[in-house]
Amino acid sequence: RRRALTAHGIDRDEALARLRQLGGGTISWMTGWAPNRYLPVDEGYVGFQTHAGVAIGLGDPVTPHGDEAEALEAFARTAERAGLIPCVFSTGPAATAARPDGWRAVVIAEDTIVDLEGFSLTGKRWQPVRTSVNRAEREEIAFRMCVLADEPWGVLAQVRAISEQWAGDKGLPEMRFTLGTVDEALDREARVGIAVDADGNLHGITSWLPVYGPGGKVRGWTLDLMRRRDGGFGPVMEFLIASSALHFADEGYAFLSLSGAPLVRPAELEAGAVDTVLDRLGEMIEPLYGFKSLHRFKQKFNPRAEPMSLLYRDEGDLPRIAMALTRAYLPDATLRDLASSVTSAGKD
């Protein structure tokens, strides 16, 4: 508890101003979520949070292109001086290649990217998704992209009710870290796609986070919140994601990231010691949150894959890192919550 990273930091507003100016990766906007803190490195920063004696950097450092190595070295030094174990979670290929000397990297997820140039739902491979869109039209389910904070009270009340129902079914608090909640969807820079029937009933929502390139230009959008109403329109997520892709393509954006399902590695990768530790963590959470089925679902949108890696010093750090990641994803869950919920999910 006495360990603390005490280097002079910057606040959220300054961090996001740097992100808009320099650009970042597909999950860089998540560094703006509490309880992340910011280690300034020259013009950029490393977003991180601390749990169980570990400083977890989140995503790629926000830096001018080519300065990733300097930022990662600064983060490692600062964390070690504070008596914390440093690691970085969900880095892209460039940051992974720039990791400090002697550090190791393991792929822990795949970022699923849908390129939007010339995007359409034509062709055989889009048939299942196209069927969902056509069915929505027949059943008078409409799509609308919005800023959720500007929606009327009735829409917000339905969004919260759907989300609370979803969380209540899990028997645990909503997950955090790389998974946002309705509060993050209310950010005015986020965009939210909603599916509404002719009577005004909300059937599902998806939220999208901006992906900035250099100079303050949004290049694409990253999928975050996915919620559907129980008993509502069946293929509502296929409809919402496809409709969002068409909307953003019409607006001239370059890509969508459907994001990586946490702790779901490509099946073809050979498992090592680090995978054993992280797989145990994934197996504990999987029955409750269904990351593997989520990963399979995203393949319907014919994405290309980019690896997302965990950077760490050596295998001796892994048990502590696994504990820290559990706390990052489930900060409000007690050990009793985890044990009882996993036992219950196993019986189901």
Side-chain angles (χ1 to χ4, degrees):
R1 287 194 295 270
R2 294 190 182 93
R3 295 171 184 164
L5 204 159
T6 56
H8 174 67
I10 55 177
D11 63 17
R12 177 183 184 272
D13 290 343
E14 173 62 21
L16 293 184
R18 295 185 181 198
L19 172 59
R20 294 185 191 98
Q21 181 60 34
L22 297 173
T26 56
I27 67 168
S28 292
W29 191 257
M30 297 177 186
T31 62
W33 299 348
N36 284 304
R37 297 156 60 197
Y38 312 97
L39 176 69
V41 182
D42 293 333
E43 301 173 54
Y45 70 89
V46 176
F48 71 95
Q49 49 187 264
T50 58
H51 302 274
V54 178
I56 310 171
L58 177 56
D60 297 341
V62 174
T63 64
H65 182 68
D67 289 356
E68 293 91 351
E70 178 185 352
L72 292 172
E73 288 279 5
F75 174 67
R77 287 195 308 268
T78 305
E80 288 169 346
R81 285 183 192 141
L84 297 168
I85 294 171
C87 69
V88 189
F89 190 76
S90 292
T91 56
T96 299
R99 64 188 182 274
D101 289 342
W103 276 41
R104 304 181 185 187
V106 61
V107 176
I108 45 85
E110 285 183 323
D111 198 358
T112 44
I113 307 293
V114 178
D115 294 307
L116 295 180
E117 184 177 358
F119 179 83
S120 74
L121 297 179
T122 59
K124 183 177 180 180
R125 63 179 186 154
W126 287 102
Q127 179 61 45
V129 175
R130 192 165 62 246
T131 297
S132 300
V133 174
N134 292 339
R135 180 179 161 188
E137 184 176 354
R138 290 195 303 271
E139 298 187 21
E140 297 185 327
I141 305 294
F143 168 81
R144 183 157 56 85
M145 187 67 72
C146 66
V147 175
L148 187 59
D150 293 337
E151 289 296 298
W153 178 88
V155 172
L156 294 177
Q158 289 189 71
V159 168
R160 291 197 180 278
I162 290 171
S163 189
E164 288 169 5
Q165 181 184 56
W166 181 91
D169 290 343
K170 304 300 179 185
L172 280 174
E174 286 190 286
M175 296 184 76
R176 305 303 301 247
F177 194 37
T178 63
L179 299 166
T181 67
V182 173
D183 289 340
E184 283 73 36
L186 286 166
D187 187 328
R188 291 187 178 277
E189 290 208 44
R191 295 294 178 266
V192 173
I194 61 176
V196 187
D197 66 23
D199 295 323
N201 298 311
L202 197 66
H203 288 252
I205 66 168
T206 52
S207 70
W208 300 90
L209 311 176
V211 183
Y212 275 94
K217 181 177 176 61
V218 175
R219 300 182 298 127
W221 298 86
T222 294
L223 177 63
D224 181 33
L225 195 70
M226 300 171 64
R227 297 288 185 268
R228 55 175 298 161
R229 192 182 81 189
D230 281 355
F233 177 64
V236 68
M237 285 302 140
E238 290 91 333
F239 169 63
L240 280 169
I241 293 173
S243 299
S244 297
L246 290 167
H247 171 86
F248 287 129
D250 287 344
E251 293 289 315
Y253 295 104
F255 65 89
L256 294 184
S257 165
L258 303 185
S259 199
L263 305 174
V264 178
R265 297 178 299 106
E268 66 272 14
L269 291 184
E270 184 178 352
V274 63
D275 303 307
T276 301
V277 174
L278 296 177
D279 284 349
R280 287 175 182 170
L281 172 58
E283 287 168 4
M284 179 181 71
I285 298 174
E286 173 63 25
L288 302 169
Y289 290 93
F291 292 140
K292 291 180 181 178
S293 60
L294 177 60
H295 180 70
R296 289 191 297 269
F297 167 79
K298 291 175 181 178
Q299 303 314 303
K300 292 183 179 183
F301 301 93
N302 306 296
R304 57 181 172 87
E306 291 190 356
M308 305 178 80
S309 299
L310 170 71
L311 312 183
Y312 64 103
R313 298 182 305 183
D314 58 61
E315 291 176 357
D317 292 339
L318 291 176
R320 179 70 70 172
I321 289 172
M323 185 184 304
L325 289 172
T326 304
R327 279 293 162 212
Y329 274 110
L330 292 165
D332 301 320
T334 66
L335 290 175
R336 180 175 294 179
D337 287 336
L338 294 171
S340 62
S341 295
V342 172
T343 299
S344 175
K347 291 177 180 178
D348 293 342

